[in-house]
Amino acid sequence: MAEPKVVGQVPSGAAVAAPPPLYDLIELFFFAYRDFTADADRQLAGLGFGRAHHRVLHFVDRHPGLTVASLLDILKITKQSLNRVMKDLTDGAFIEVRTGTSDRRRRTLHVTPTGGRLAVDLAYLHSARFERALSPLPPEVRRQAVEFLLGMIDAGERDRVVDLVFGEPALPAAEAAVRRDDASREHAA
């Protein structure tokens, strides 16, 4: 593999001995993300949807009964920015909002059959890209890729993301922390 070229200047005030920025990884990440999202973007464009619609649809499909508050916490967006996207998805019958069963003030989100099919179709597009990238590599690379991606996530969010991706239902950060603490106390007893 060719040594990455370093282009640009050292920022003013930076130590001369500092290593150069990791331009190769930065740019590869940009290009990988561009192409990864383009697969779904093409299919979503035909519906008048964008990446925000995709992210909402993905997490609602993966976590039926997700509350609006939990979704906002996962996506790190404001309620105002979610409203337009939710209107598009509910008006198009991709997502439905239900009243909570134990607390009628809570609204839970669920994909419709149409929304579920779209979410899975998009997940298969992404899965095919991952399979193409991973198939020529040794099997342990997938585990290393997971470790790498987790390492890219802010340390304070990692446990919550692991719970969300690999098991626990999506919870607001505070609620997830309380549950983890309770589980730790039970395990210690």
Side-chain angles (χ1 to χ4, degrees):
M1 182 182 289
E3 194 63 28
K5 66 181 179 181
V6 177
V7 180
Q9 300 176 0
V10 175
S12 61
V16 176
L22 302 175
Y23 287 121
D24 56 339
L25 294 178
I26 293 167
E27 291 174 4
L28 287 170
F29 194 79
F30 283 145
F31 288 119
Y33 180 74
R34 177 197 67 190
D35 293 349
F36 178 79
T37 56
D39 293 337
D41 287 351
R42 285 186 287 276
Q43 188 165 345
L44 291 163
L47 298 168
F49 293 165
R51 290 181 190 160
H53 297 87
H54 183 194
R55 285 188 293 270
V56 168
L57 191 61
H58 173 84
F59 284 106
V60 172
D61 178 59
R62 293 280 293 142
H63 303 280
L66 188 68
T67 64
V68 171
S70 294
L71 181 61
L72 291 170
D73 192 45
I74 289 167
L75 299 176
K76 301 293 183 209
I77 60 173
T78 65
K79 193 170 185 178
Q80 182 179 2
S81 62
L82 178 63
N83 283 340
R84 180 190 56 83
V85 171
M86 283 299 299
K87 181 172 178 10
D88 293 343
L89 291 169
T90 55
D91 287 354
F94 291 90
I95 287 181
E96 63 183 17
V97 181
R98 298 180 190 163
T99 302
T101 53
S102 60
D103 183 350
R104 302 204 42 85
R105 294 170 297 175
R106 285 180 75 160
R107 296 182 316 156
T108 61
L109 306 174
H110 305 267
V111 294
T112 64
T114 302
R117 279 190 302 278
L118 177 58
V120 170
D121 287 349
L122 296 171
Y124 275 118
L125 284 174
H126 288 317
S127 295
R129 183 167 292 274
F130 277 116
E131 288 297 328
R132 284 192 306 270
L134 290 170
S135 66
L137 303 172
E140 66 272 8
V141 170
R142 179 177 173 153
R143 181 186 50 75
Q144 293 167 344
V146 168
E147 289 174 14
F148 170 78
L149 291 170
L150 284 170
M152 295 286 290
I153 297 166
D154 289 342
E157 283 286 305
R158 250 178 244 143
D159 286 345
R160 220 170 65 74
V161 169
V162 166
D163 288 347
L164 181 67
V165 172
F166 298 106
E168 296 282 319
L171 300 170
E175 190 176 339
V178 167
R179 285 196 185 182
R180 268 196 305 281
D181 289 346
D182 291 347
S184 295
R185 279 193 287 279
E186 287 175 16
H187 186 354

